[in-house]
């Protein structure tokens, strides 16, 4: 395992460096083969490790790599940790990444900058692997920032587009806000535990649960404040309510990037972090309640927005945000295994949905607006089936009494049940939010499917299609296709869709017993709450069928509004204009942040510069001094008049003054 | 190294070459300067290699008495070693950066730089307080000339401002030095570092030194000379200014203020931390709205130096080592950023950000290196600045969480202004035809930027090479400071641990007893 984990992590880095520096000199084919090959090797090496943990034959190990920092008692080294939790992430990251590399052969075929793209993808994978194999908090932070950099570079990959650049900067800066929490959390953790080693912290954490500490002048519960700070970091990376604004904009990046980074892997880093530190969070009841609340609120909030967006990628992006909320509140109630299970299944079906959307966009000449799709079922059948499996998985289709279901059925329903089973007030709130969000999930997912694959073609309304067929809607007349022929994507794109479809169908069924019920499988890598899982299995039937019921309701609603009577959405918007505007405009978060952060920052910057530096410091400082010297010299010049009588007068005055001073 | 006077040789080589440059033709002067600086770099490597980590505190000591207790005394500890390495490493790069850019009075220019190098090495190696003062102040003169003679359009104003600011602070320091030598009876720095001055006197002495170091650093609000000096200085001048001269203030604190006046330092901790907090936020916001590339980087330097001062006044190992690492990292990174500006300034002769755009298309290699240095400046883990900022902030956290929060906010703003700069210069469309026609890096420019990039990554991935020589010195300093170190605001109190974990659940009466159990 030692050699293979080193290869798994560093092969992608090596490939990224060679492809990035070689770039045009090596050419498209070489760089693409190199990076994709490296990822497939990593993937092939990861699965045996995972299977080792599944069968219980593997043991947790730490492979030291290099000394990093030693400063007083603050020391941390480069090391690769492999345990069950890492193994799960390894297969998720390397599998999705390998498939996305392959998919990009087709999707990015016409791009002039392919070596750079593939180098970034591999670089991202390396950073993500460093994150999940971290044995100390600082290396986790290295991976954390590394994926942030790769995400920034890939969102802004098409750097000529102003919107892509803006989105890239936004992603980086908003993530930095989260990182502020993460960094303070690390500093605090070091202060309390005198170490940044994760196993040592986790071991000592329960003993600190009654301790108090000062923070910003207030006295607080030590573990609560530390976990809240670390969770702020998780909120940034996983786009939770308040720090979520970057994720929808991140869709400016090429679609394979959205699938890999902004759906399957990077954005789940926050969930991973909470699970990795689960014994620490278990010592922090208040922090966990906050985790629960933020997760539940996000899963509802993002789902509402998802129902109103027109851009196919944005719908899926909000869906991701919402699903991450599920994972967080699962962690919040203490079901870390369930959270990780949803992370695992979600990676497959969400990557599938994104890559499927990419295939649709590819077929539709880069049009992303679902209003201009329609009737694509027959044109791109393979993509349709893949998207269908993804939709069945995310909406959680499955029947409890038959014991069969798609991936999302197993993981999402388990989250809803475990929240109910937990039974605290906040857990009940999370349960109801989860149920409502499941309804919305089903609605927006089927809305997406119906708008895209059913109904009549509305293609000619799209400017992209108009460019392609050189016709205006008027010229096309009755023929709303405009004579455009969508083509199914090349094999390089279809194979990943096929593989991920298998995951979306079967990952839940196959792995549920291990992930949910097997404490021995987790082997202490996360906090495993046996009693809670038992309670989860024992919830009433109405709870078990609640998610199923709302799933059906959502489907029927979407069918009614988008197939049966397509005038309903328009009427609804008409009737509830304010509600719709509020939701459609994403609850006005961007406007709010612009108003309270961005604009004041620039305003203050200008004022500090013009009034502070130039107007005050320079004016009264060096320029003032120069003025005094120059004018002082003028006065001094006048005194040196050369007239004896004026000198005599001054001498006399001086004499009088001296005598006065001496005498009195 | 036995009795080989390597430090004196390192002073002598650039001095001789510098004098020679006055009499040489342009071409020969360039070559002589390059060779001399490379020889000094090689000597520096020898110095580093033969420095005995864990050995005596002061090594390579040379001493000869001159008059009235004033002696020519050289010697270095790990801190000085690292700063000397930074100086000798940046020097050949500066010569290369001036290769084509400087066309008038080349001999004199090269001489100014070489004498600058003598003085910089001298400052860090001096063991006599007056010798230090001479090197410290004389450094002003070549820099003043470099800005005033080879600078931009408004160079006279900038050079006067630079001179006025820095000289004003120094006068007070000289008076304080006289008093100290009189009191302690020696001008030997290592002895003075162990001397306990009376607490009342410390306050005044500390303030006198602070006046000088604060300007050099520069600390807000005495920072306004820096943007002007940078903007007007030629590229290589900016590199030395940001790379080495700004470090003199930090070196002063770590060599004089902290060890010689621990009580006064503790007394003024909140002054320094307060000014650091203001500086980080204030200058970062100002950097955000700049249209002049050099001004932007200059303001960002002030923000980074504020993290240094905060780290120094954290009174603990992490803070001190972090401050040193920020100084070294910032020396490399801001130097590299000024070189990056210089590269495109040489082609288009403007520093205005809006005149560029879309350089990623015609200068991809430049874009790559510029990105690396931007990320290092932002403090991305894996680069030099991360180590420094992380350690410094970890140190500050131990005395104040509030200050750490404010300083960390500066890091968010740092990301904003650097990425905003990068986007406007490198990304976007090629809106200016002349900028679009610029050629990518040539070999000379690779030779300048490549080594810095390597050093930045080295320092980020394996900082042990740099931390190890300083470890003993900083540990000694922490011991010296321990008696005055202020208490932190965290004050951990361990209580009775909770009986159960947060999500403890009762065990079901019968295993799997509920309605839906199976």
């Amino acid at each position: 395992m030692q050699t293979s984990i080193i290869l798994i992590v560093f092969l992608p880095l090596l490939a990224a460096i060679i492809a990035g520096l070689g770039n045009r000199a090596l050419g498209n084919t070489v760089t693409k083969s190199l990076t994709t090959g490296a990822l497939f090797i990593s993937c092939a090496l990861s699965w045996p490790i995972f299977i080792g943990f599944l069968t219980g034959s593997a043991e947790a190990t730490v492979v030291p790599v290099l000394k990093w920092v030693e400063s007083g008692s603050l020391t941390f080294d480069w090391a690769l940790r492999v345990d069950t939790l890492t193994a799960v992430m390894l297969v998720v990251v390397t599998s999705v990444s390998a498939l996305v590399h392959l998919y990009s052969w087709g999707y990015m075929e016409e791009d002039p900058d392919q070596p750079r793209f593939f180098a970034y993808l591999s670089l991202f994978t390396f950073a993500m692997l460093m994150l999940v194999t971290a044995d100390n908090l600082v290396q986790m932070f290295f991976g954390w920032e590394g994926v942030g950099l790769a995400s920034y570079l890939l969102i802004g990959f098409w750097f000529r587009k102003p919107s892509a650049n803006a989105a890239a900067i936004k992603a980086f800066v908003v993530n930095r806000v989260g990182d502020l929490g993460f960094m303070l959390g690390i500093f605090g953790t070091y202060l309390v535990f005198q170490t940044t080693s994760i196993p040592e912290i986790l071991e000592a954490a329960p003993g600190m649960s009654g301790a108090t500490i000062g923070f910003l002048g207030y006295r607080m519960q030590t573990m609560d404040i530390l976990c809240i700070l670390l969770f702020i970091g998780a909120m940034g990376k996983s786009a939770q309510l308040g720090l979520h604004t970057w994720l929808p904009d991140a869709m400016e990046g090429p679609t394979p990037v959205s699938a890999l980074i902004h759906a399957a892997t990077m954005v789940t880093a926050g969930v991973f972090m909470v699970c990795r530190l689960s014994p620490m969070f278990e010592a922090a009841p208040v922090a966990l309640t906050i985790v629960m609340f933020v997760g539940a609120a996000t899963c509802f909030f993002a789902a509402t927005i998802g129902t109103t967006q027109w851009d196919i990628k944005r719908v899926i992006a909000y869906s991701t945000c919402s699903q991450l909320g599920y994972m967080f509140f699962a962690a919040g109630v203490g079901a870390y295994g369930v959270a990780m299970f949803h992370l695992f299944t979600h990676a497959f079906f969400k990557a599938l949905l994104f890559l499927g959307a990419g295939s649709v966009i590819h077929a539709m000449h880069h049009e992303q607006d679902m209003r201009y799709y329609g009737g694509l079922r027959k044109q791109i059948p393979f993509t349709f089936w893949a998207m269908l499996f993804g939709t069945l998985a995310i909406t959680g289709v499955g029947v409890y009494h038959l014991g069969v279901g798609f991936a999302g059925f197993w993981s999402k329903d388990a989250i809803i049940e475990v929240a109910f089973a937990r039974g605290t007030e906040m857990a009940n709130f999370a349960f109801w939010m989860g149920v409502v969000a499941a309804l919305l999930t089903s609605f927006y997912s089927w809305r997406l499917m119906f708008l895209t694959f059913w109904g009549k073609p509305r293609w000619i309304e799209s400017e992209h299609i108009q460019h392609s067929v050189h016709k205006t809607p008027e010229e096309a007349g009755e023929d709303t296709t405009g004579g455009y022929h969508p083509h199914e994507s090349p094999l390089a794109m279809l194979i990943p869709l096929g593989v991920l479809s298998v995951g979306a169908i079967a990952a839940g069924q196959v792995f549920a017993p291990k992930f949910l019920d097997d404490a021995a499988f987790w082997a202490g890598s996360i906090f495993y709450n046996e009693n809670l899982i038992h309670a989860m299995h024992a919830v009433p039937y109405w709870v078990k069928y609640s998610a199923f019921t709302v799933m059906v309701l959502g489907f029927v609603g979407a069918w009614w509004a988008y197939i049966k009577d397509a005038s309903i959405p328009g009427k609804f918007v008409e009737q509830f204009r304010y509600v719709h505007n509020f939701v459609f405009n994403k609850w006005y978060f961007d406007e709010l942040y612009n108003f309270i952060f961005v604009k004041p920052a620039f305003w203050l910057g200008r004022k500090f510069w013009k009034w502070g530096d130039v107007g005050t410091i320079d004016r009264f400082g060096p320029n003032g001094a120069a003025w005094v010297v120059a004018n002082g010299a003028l006065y001094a010049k006048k005194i040196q008049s050369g007239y004896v009588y004026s000198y005599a007068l001054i001498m006399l005055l001086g004499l009088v003054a001296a005598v006065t001073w001496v005498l009195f | 190294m036995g009795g080989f006077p390597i430090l004196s040789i390192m002073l002598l080589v650039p001095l001789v070459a510098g004098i020679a440059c006055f009499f040489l033709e342009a071409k020969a002067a360039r070559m002589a300067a390059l060779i001399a600086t490379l020889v000094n770099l090689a000597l520096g490597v020898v110095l580093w290699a033969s420095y005995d980590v864990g050995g005596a505190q002061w090594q390579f000591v040379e001493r000869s008495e001159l008059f009235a207790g004033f002696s020519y005394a050289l010697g270095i500890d790990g801190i000085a070693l690292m700063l000397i390495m930074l100086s000798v490493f940046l020097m050949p790069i500066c010569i290369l950066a001036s290769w084509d850019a400087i066309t008038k009075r080349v001999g004199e220019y090269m001489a100014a730089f070489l004498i600058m190098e003598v003085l910089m090495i001298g400052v860090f190696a001096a063991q006599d307080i007056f010798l230090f003062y001479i090197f410290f102040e004389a450094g002003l003169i070549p820099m003043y000339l470099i800005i005033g003679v080879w600078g931009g359009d408004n160079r006279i104003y900038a050079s006067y401002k630079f001179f006025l600011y820095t000289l004003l602070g120094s006068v007070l320091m000289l008076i304080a030095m006289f008093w100290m030598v009189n009191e302690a009876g020696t001008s030997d720095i290592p002895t003075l570092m162990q001397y306990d001055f009376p607490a009342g006197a410390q306050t005044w002495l500390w303030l006198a030194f602070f006046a000088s170091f604060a300007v050099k650093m520069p600390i807000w609000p005495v920072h306004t000379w820096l943007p002007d000096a940078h903007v007007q200085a030629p590229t290589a001048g900016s590199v030395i200014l940001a790379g080495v001269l700004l470090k003199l203030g930090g070196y002063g604190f770590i060599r004089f203020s902290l060890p010689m006046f621990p009580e006064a330092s503790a007394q003024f901790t909140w002054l320094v931390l307060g000014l650091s907090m203001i500086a980080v936020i204030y200058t970062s916001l100002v950097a955000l709205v700049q249209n002049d590339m050099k001004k932007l980087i200059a303001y960002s330097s002030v923000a980074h130096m504020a993290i240094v001062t905060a780290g120094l006044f954290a009174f603990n190992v992490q803070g001190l080592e972090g401050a040193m690492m920020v100084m070294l990292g910032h020396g490399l990174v801001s130097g590299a950023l000024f070189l990056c500006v210089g590269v495109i300034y040489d082609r288009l002769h403007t520093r205005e950000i809006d005149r560029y755009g879309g350089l990623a298309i015609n200068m991809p290699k430049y874009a790559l290196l510029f990105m690396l240095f931007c990320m290092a400046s932002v403090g991305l883990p894996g680069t030099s600045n991360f180590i420094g900022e992380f350690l410094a902030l970890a140190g500050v956290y131990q005395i104040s969480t509030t200050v750490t929060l404010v300083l960390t906010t500066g890091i968010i703003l740092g990301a904003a202004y650097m990425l905003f700069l990068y986007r406007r210069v490198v990304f976007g469309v090629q809106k200016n035809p002349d900028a679009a026609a610029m050629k990518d890096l040539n070999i000379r420019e690779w030779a300048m930027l490549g080594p810095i990039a390597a050093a930045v990554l080295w320092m980020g991935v394996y900082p042990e090479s740099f931390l190890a020589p300083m470890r003993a010195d900083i540990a000694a300093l922490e011991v010296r400071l321990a008696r005055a170190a202020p208490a932190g605001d965290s004050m951990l109190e361990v209580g009775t641990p909770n009986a159960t974990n947060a999500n403890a659940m009762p065990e079901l009466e019968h295993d799997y007893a509920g309605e839906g159990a199976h």
Side-chain angles (χ1 to χ4, degrees):
Chain A
M1 197 152 83
Q2 304 230 337
T3 344
S4 69
I5 187 66
I6 286 181
L7 287 175
I8 289 170
V9 175
F10 291 104
L11 273 183
L13 174 66
L14 193 66
I17 292 173
I18 297 174
L21 295 181
N23 213 311
R24 303 230 164 95
L26 291 177
N28 285 348
T29 320
V30 175
T31 51
K32 280 154 71 177
S33 311
L34 205 67
T35 49
T36 314
L39 254 298
F40 271 91
I41 296 173
S42 281
C43 181
L45 291 170
S46 297
W47 277 93
I49 293 180
F50 178 59
I51 291 167
F53 282 100
L54 273 183
T55 57
S57 63
E59 270 185 27
T61 41
V62 178
V63 182
V65 178
L66 187 70
K67 189 182 174 77
W68 194 6
V69 167
E70 180 192 337
S71 173
S73 65
L74 177 57
T75 58
F76 38 90
D77 295 337
W78 300 102
L80 305 176
R81 174 182 188 79
V82 190
D83 56 13
T84 310
L85 185 63
T86 303
V88 171
M89 293 304 287
L90 281 183
V91 290
V92 168
V93 173
T94 55
S95 305
V96 177
S97 180
L99 291 172
V100 164
H101 272 78
L102 177 61
Y103 181 93
S104 304
W105 279 67
Y107 193 84
M108 302 297 286
E109 203 169 20
E110 284 157 20
D111 199 281
D113 252 347
Q114 292 174 56
R116 188 163 63 89
F117 181 78
F118 279 79
Y120 288 169
L121 278 187
S122 293
L123 178 70
F124 164 79
T125 315
F126 161 71
M128 190 70 203
L129 291 170
M130 287 299 275
L131 195 168
V132 300
T133 55
D135 193 41
N136 61 59
L137 288 176
V138 190
Q139 186 182 325
M140 191 187 271
F141 190 68
F142 167 82
W144 198 263
E145 294 285 284
V147 292
L149 167 68
S151 161
Y152 161 79
L153 292 170
L154 282 164
I155 295 169
F157 178 73
W158 286 314
F159 59 81
R160 291 172 180 82
K161 274 167 72 182
S163 57
N165 285 323
I169 292 185
K170 187 172 172 185
F172 199 91
V173 174
V174 174
N175 265 297
R176 280 252 140 172
V177 178
D179 294 346
L180 180 147
F182 197 168
M183 279 184 90
L184 292 177
I186 297 177
F187 299 148
T189 310
Y190 164 65
L191 183 93
V192 172
F193 297 102
Q194 289 296 305
T195 176
T196 58
S197 153
I198 292 171
E200 286 174 28
I201 293 168
L202 298 186
E203 204 189 342
M208 282 291 171
S209 58
T212 58
I213 198 167
F215 185 72
L216 305 183
Y218 297 95
R219 234 171 147 87
M220 298 188 187
Q221 286 292 316
T222 305
M223 294 315 294
D224 281 324
I225 186 64
L226 293 184
C227 288
I228 290 169
L229 287 171
L230 292 168
F231 178 62
I232 291 172
M235 282 173 68
K237 199 59 63 192
S238 294
Q240 293 298 290
L241 188 60
L243 295 178
H244 66 282
T245 54
W246 65 273
L247 183 60
D249 288 18
M251 297 301 124
E252 288 290 340
T255 309
V257 173
S258 313
L260 174 62
I261 300 184
H262 305 122
T265 57
M266 182 185 86
V267 289
T268 62
V271 182
F272 167 79
M273 184 235 261
V274 173
C275 290
R276 172 59 93 203
L277 302 176
S278 48
M280 200 173 160
F281 277 83
E282 281 295 324
V286 177
L288 272 181
T289 310
I290 291 173
V291 173
M292 222 185 295
F293 173 76
V294 171
T298 309
C299 98
F300 167 73
F301 145 85
T304 61
I305 300 176
T307 59
T308 59
Q309 300 298 307
W310 292 116
D311 184 314
I312 187 169
K313 285 180 71 182
R314 281 189 183 245
V315 173
I316 309 179
Y318 279 107
S319 160
T320 304
C321 197
S322 165
Q323 298 297 314
L324 292 165
Y326 275 106
M327 297 174 208
F328 273 113
F329 81 69
V333 299
Y336 305 97
V338 181
M340 282 308 295
F341 188 38
H342 195 52
L343 187 162
F344 182 76
T345 60
H346 174 260
F348 292 107
F349 62 70
K350 189 51 67 65
L352 174 63
L353 284 169
F354 259 122
L355 294 183
S359 182
V360 174
I361 294 166
H362 191 256
M364 290 302 286
H365 213 263
H366 303 296
E367 179 55 70
Q368 300 192 6
D369 195 321
M370 297 190 297
R371 280 172 294 190
Y372 310 136
Y373 290 169
L376 284 167
R377 195 173 59 218
K378 299 273 163 52
Q379 315 285 336
I380 43 174
F382 196 94
T383 304
F384 163 68
W385 280 102
M387 289 287 276
L388 185 65
F389 290 133
T391 305
L392 292 173
I394 193 176
T395 55
V397 174
V399 182
Y400 172 70
H401 273 95
L402 298 179
V404 290
F406 289 86
F409 164 74
W410 292 94
S411 53
K412 190 167 70 179
D413 285 22
I415 291 178
I416 290 173
E417 288 163 24
V418 83
F420 182 85
R422 180 70 187 87
T424 61
E425 242 170 74
M426 190 56 83
N428 280 333
F429 169 75
F431 166 72
W432 286 111
M433 282 293 144
V435 172
V436 176
L439 172 73
L440 296 170
T441 306
S442 176
F443 178 81
Y444 67 65
S445 301
W446 286 108
R447 171 178 178 263
L448 182 155
M449 288 301 283
F450 292 146
L451 282 171
T452 307
F453 293 107
W454 272 270
K456 292 224 165 56
R458 304 175 294 274
W459 311 337
I460 192 63
E461 301 291 325
S462 153
E463 282 183 17
H464 296 261
I465 302 288
Q466 290 165 22
H467 283 300
S468 167
V469 296
H470 307 292
K471 269 186 210 162
T472 60
E474 291 74 38
E475 289 165 3
E478 286 292 294
D479 181 12
T480 52
T481 66
Y484 182 76
H485 294 289
H487 288 288
E488 187 60 282
S489 303
L491 207 57
M493 291 167 69
L494 296 183
I495 292 171
L497 290 182
V499 176
L500 289 170
S501 295
V502 175
I505 296 167
Q509 193 96 33
V510 173
F511 294 107
K514 284 286 174 194
F515 276 77
L516 297 183
D517 301 324
D518 195 348
F521 166 67
W522 290 110
S525 62
I526 57 169
F527 184 89
Y528 189 83
N529 194 336
E530 192 107 42
N531 292 345
L532 181 64
I533 299 299
H534 289 174
M536 174 185 91
H537 285 299
V539 295
Y541 286 127
W542 71 266
V543 175
K544 292 204 181 266
Y545 277 96
S546 60
F548 179 82
T549 315
V550 295
M551 182 267 293
V552 173
L553 283 178
F555 170 77
V556 172
W559 175 78
W560 203 282
Y562 292 94
I563 301 277
K564 179 118 192 331
D565 181 0
S567 68
I568 289 179
K571 285 181 194 157
F572 182 87
V573 171
E574 195 69 26
Q575 195 71 29
F576 301 102
R577 175 165 300 279
Y578 294 108
V579 178
H580 176 264
N581 279 349
F582 180 69
V583 176
F584 183 71
N585 288 305
K586 304 161 264 178
W587 296 32
Y588 294 107
F589 265 101
D590 282 331
E591 288 76 5
L592 181 73
Y593 285 177
N594 219 8
F595 181 71
I596 57 176
F597 295 122
V598 181
K599 286 200 172 146
F602 278 88
W603 183 84
L604 272 176
R606 270 188 294 274
K607 292 302 169 208
F608 281 154
W609 181 28
K610 291 291 181 197
W611 291 0
D613 270 21
V614 179
T616 309
I617 298 173
D618 276 355
R619 187 161 159 218
F620 298 108
N623 295 356
W627 183 89
V628 168
V629 172
N631 285 282
L634 281 182
Y635 287 112
K637 195 169 76 184
K638 281 184 190 154
I639 293 166
Q640 296 171 29
S641 54
Y643 296 114
V644 177
Y645 57 81
S646 68
Y647 290 171
L649 179 66
I650 290 170
M651 271 172 69
L652 189 66
L653 285 174
L655 199 64
V656 170
V659 168
T660 316
W661 192 69
V662 170
L663 289 183
F664 302 97
Chain B
M1 290 302 293
F4 185 65
I6 186 164
L7 289 172
S8 290
I9 306 279
M10 285 178 78
L11 295 177
L12 201 62
V13 169
L15 183 66
V16 171
I19 293 168
C21 276
F22 274 114
F23 307 103
L24 288 173
E25 289 292 303
K27 266 188 187 167
R30 286 188 188 115
M31 198 47 86
L34 184 63
I35 291 171
T37 51
L38 283 175
V39 167
N40 242 19
L41 174 60
L43 286 170
V45 173
V46 172
L47 187 73
W48 191 3
S50 43
Y51 181 84
D52 179 15
V53 176
Q57 187 184 3
W58 301 98
Q59 303 185 17
F60 311 104
V61 178
E62 299 167 30
R63 171 175 291 271
S64 49
E65 300 297 329
L66 295 178
F67 52 86
F70 172 68
S71 55
Y72 173 82
L74 300 178
I76 55 169
D77 62 353
I79 295 169
L81 170 73
M82 282 299 123
L83 289 164
I84 289 177
M85 283 314 295
L86 179 68
S87 314
V88 295
F89 177 73
L90 286 176
M91 217 55 211
I93 293 169
C94 286
I95 304 296
L96 282 176
S98 320
W99 207 258
D100 296 333
I102 301 298
T103 48
K104 61 168 189 178
R105 295 176 176 273
V106 178
E108 285 90 334
Y109 178 88
M110 293 298 167
F113 262 85
L114 289 164
I115 288 168
M116 190 85 212
E117 180 170 20
V118 176
L119 299 172
M120 287 182 319
I121 297 172
V123 159
F124 297 129
Q127 282 210 314
D128 184 283
I129 200 164
F130 292 117
L131 191 63
F132 169 85
Y133 185 81
I134 291 169
F135 284 129
F136 189 80
E137 290 311 319
L140 276 178
I141 299 162
M143 199 63 218
Y144 168 75
L145 292 173
I146 288 167
I147 298 174
V149 177
W150 292 277
D153 302 330
N154 203 11
R155 57 182 183 268
I156 302 299
Y157 173 73
S159 57
Y160 272 105
K161 203 169 172 182
F162 168 73
F163 201 83
L164 261 181
Y165 253 120
T166 40
L167 192 70
L168 221 61
S170 307
V171 177
L172 293 170
M173 186 170 80
L174 184 63
I175 298 168
M177 283 177 172
F178 277 120
W179 193 91
M180 285 161 65
V181 171
N182 193 34
E183 159 86 18
T186 174
S187 58
D188 182 48
I189 290 176
T191 317
L192 287 170
M193 283 169 72
Q194 299 300 327
Y195 189 85
D196 293 321
F197 290 98
Q202 276 193 25
T203 308
W204 296 106
L205 295 172
W206 190 93
L207 283 172
F209 276 80
F210 183 72
S212 176
F213 299 148
V215 170
K216 277 265 164 38
M217 196 90 205
I219 289 178
W220 185 91
V222 287
H223 65 283
T224 61
W225 63 271
L226 186 70
D228 282 315
H230 269 309
V231 165
Q232 299 304 330
T235 302
S238 289
V239 174
I240 282 302
L241 193 55
V244 185
L245 290 192
L246 292 196
K247 275 63 210 177
L248 293 183
Y251 179 73
F253 281 124
I254 211 167
R255 180 67 77 231
F256 296 91
S257 303
L258 288 171
M260 295 183 193
F261 327 120
E263 278 79 18
S265 297
Q267 191 185 339
F268 287 110
T269 298
W270 280 99
L271 172 71
V272 176
L273 292 181
L275 292 178
S276 302
M277 284 194 285
I278 296 174
V280 164
I281 301 295
Y282 181 109
T283 52
S284 296
L285 287 172
V286 174
L288 200 57
V289 296
Q290 296 304 315
N291 284 318
D292 182 313
M293 287 188 277
K294 277 184 139 184
K295 230 175 196 172
L296 193 155
I297 300 168
Y299 275 109
S300 89
S301 292
V302 184
H304 280 110
M305 288 302 113
I307 293 183
V308 173
T309 45
L312 289 175
F313 283 82
F315 290 84
N316 52 40
V317 172
Q318 288 84 29
L320 293 166
E321 288 191 335
M324 276 308 296
M325 288 303 280
V326 176
M327 286 207 263
L328 298 175
H330 176 265
L332 295 175
V333 172
S334 68
L337 286 171
F338 280 117
L339 288 171
C340 282
V341 174
V343 164
I344 52 178
Y345 181 83
D346 287 347
R347 287 162 173 68
L348 214 58
H349 299 287
T350 175
R351 296 179 308 267
E352 205 182 319
I353 293 170
D354 292 339
R355 290 280 287 108
Y356 297 94
L359 296 189
I361 300 165
N362 50 318
M363 302 176 75
K365 296 191 177 84
Y366 172 77
L368 173 72
L369 285 175
F370 193 14
M371 168 58 70
L372 173 69
F373 297 127
C374 278
M375 282 299 152
S377 170
V378 165
L380 199 80
T383 65
S384 52
N385 288 22
F386 170 72
I387 305 292
E389 284 177 8
F390 184 84
L391 290 179
L393 292 172
V396 176
Y397 191 92
Q398 293 168 47
I399 63 161
S400 170
T401 49
T402 315
V403 176
T404 317
L405 178 72
V406 174
L407 296 181
T408 318
T409 313
I411 288 183
I412 302 176
L413 294 171
Y417 63 69
M418 282 319 286
L419 295 183
F420 192 42
L421 165 73
Y422 191 82
R423 168 195 173 178
R424 287 180 288 171
V425 173
V426 176
F427 287 155
V429 291
Q430 298 174 307
K431 55 181 193 269
N432 302 308
D434 47 357
M438 300 195 304
K439 289 211 167 56
D440 209 345
L441 300 179
N442 59 30
I443 293 180
R444 178 179 60 85
E445 286 157 347
W446 265 111
M448 289 156 28
L449 294 173
I452 304 187
V456 163
L457 291 174
W458 177 13
M459 211 184 266
V461 174
Y462 191 71
E464 182 62 12
S465 318
F466 305 88
L467 285 170
M470 300 188 297
R471 188 161 293 138
D473 304 311
I474 287 187
L477 180 56
E478 198 210 18
V479 170
R480 170 109 180 123
L481 290 173
R483 64 167 194 243
D489 69 349
S490 289
M491 294 180 286
L492 179 70
E493 276 172 27
V494 182
T496 327
N498 299 349
T500 56
N501 57 288
N503 283 307
M505 292 281 288
E507 206 169 327
L508 293 183
E509 295 228 337
H510 310 286
D511 213 10
Y512 288 57
E515 187 188 357
H518 61 164

